[in-house]
Amino acid sequence: MERPEDEPPEVTELFEIINGHRPDSYPQDTRFRASELIEKIVSKQYPLHREDLPGKWALSYLQPGPDGGGIDRRIPFPDLWFNKNFQIFTRDSVTNIGELLGPALEVRVGGVLEEIDETSLSTPKRFRANINSGKICLGQAPEAGCIPLPISGEGLFDGVYLGQRLRIGQNLNGGGARVVQVKIA
């Protein structure tokens, strides 16, 4: 994806560091630089452009929360080198996808996405995901054979940066970790 003209330089640098990488693939010096850039981006409280959210986002970097906590996962996705994690957003829904055996087997969990305060365009921007469906599927195709999973719940996160090709969210249900995602579709 091409660099947008209005993308802040620190966002461009972070994108170049994490694009195409997995959350566990960074040497320590790269993690330090990525964390510095995340803090700089978050501190600037860039306006949130809600129209940039819809699409498929790949998890590329995970910054532990203040106490070293991760993200809240009610269904654990094995952190194997060949598994990937995605989120697909529409204007009013979210689907979390976690591979279990690479693309051959995945868990899909989704529900309604709502803004806590629709009038605010500043960051951090609080969202609620009301999870109401889940399934385990053979393959990635929409028509793949799936078995329903009994899952429901509420997830809270803050959108702390949202651009055309990079987003940073902060998990509020778990340990306060920040997820950095790259838009892939």
Side-chain angles (χ1 to χ4, degrees), residues 2-12 46-49 51-52 161-166:
E2 295 276 329
R3 179 189 181 275
E5 286 184 27
D6 62 345
E7 185 175 84
E10 59 273 12
V11 172
T12 300
Y46 290 108
L48 187 115
H49 301 283
E51 67 275 8
D52 291 331
Y161 177 80
L162 177 60
Q164 292 178 33
R165 62 185 191 155
L166 187 127

Side-chain angles (χ1 to χ4, degrees), residues 17 37 39 57 65-66 85-86 95 97 114 134 140 142 171 177:
I17 289 172
L37 291 166
E39 294 304 324
W57 297 83
N85 294 293
F86 306 97
T95 301
I97 300 172
E114 62 181 319
Q140 296 178 319
N171 180 280

Side-chain angles (χ1 to χ4, degrees), residues 25-185:
S25 68
Y26 300 94
Q28 195 61 30
D29 60 331
T30 304
R31 286 191 165 284
F32 286 137
R33 183 61 184 150
S35 288
E36 288 174 349
L37 291 166
I38 291 167
E39 294 304 324
K40 187 173 184 180
I41 293 164
V42 170
S43 72
K44 292 196 175 181
Q45 295 183 310
Y46 290 108
L48 187 115
H49 301 283
R50 185 69 164 83
E51 67 275 8
D52 291 331
L53 185 59
K56 185 174 184 179
W57 297 83
L59 178 61
S60 296
Y61 187 82
L62 182 63
Q63 182 186 42
D67 296 326
I71 54 177
D72 179 31
R73 288 188 178 165
R74 290 173 180 89
I75 297 178
F77 305 138
D79 288 324
L80 303 173
W81 65 269
F82 51 83
N83 286 340
K84 297 179 182 172
N85 294 293
F86 306 97
Q87 284 186 301
I88 299 174
F89 290 95
T90 68
R91 176 108 183 111
D92 59 0
S93 72
V94 61
T95 301
N96 297 314
I97 300 172
E99 295 179 349
L100 300 176
L101 293 172
L105 186 65
E106 64 183 29
V107 172
R108 301 176 193 167
V109 176
V112 177
L113 179 69
E114 62 181 319
E115 298 176 50
I116 302 300
D117 179 0
E118 292 185 19
T119 62
S120 172
L121 295 178
S122 63
T123 57
K125 174 80 168 169
R126 180 108 352 130
F127 290 88
R128 176 183 298 119
N130 292 306
I131 303 302
N132 56 23
S133 70
K135 51 191 168 183
I136 187 165
C137 302
L138 293 170
Q140 296 178 319
E143 67 277 357
C146 298
I147 300 169
L149 293 173
I151 186 168
S152 65
E154 179 180 277
L156 292 173
F157 68 92
D158 281 345
V160 293
Y161 177 80
L162 177 60
Q164 292 178 33
R165 62 185 191 155
L166 187 127
R167 81 174 277 275
I168 304 171
Q170 184 156 8
N171 180 280
L172 300 176
N173 292 79
R178 289 184 179 145
V179 296
V180 185
Q181 297 172 312
V182 172
K183 193 175 226 177
I184 57 173

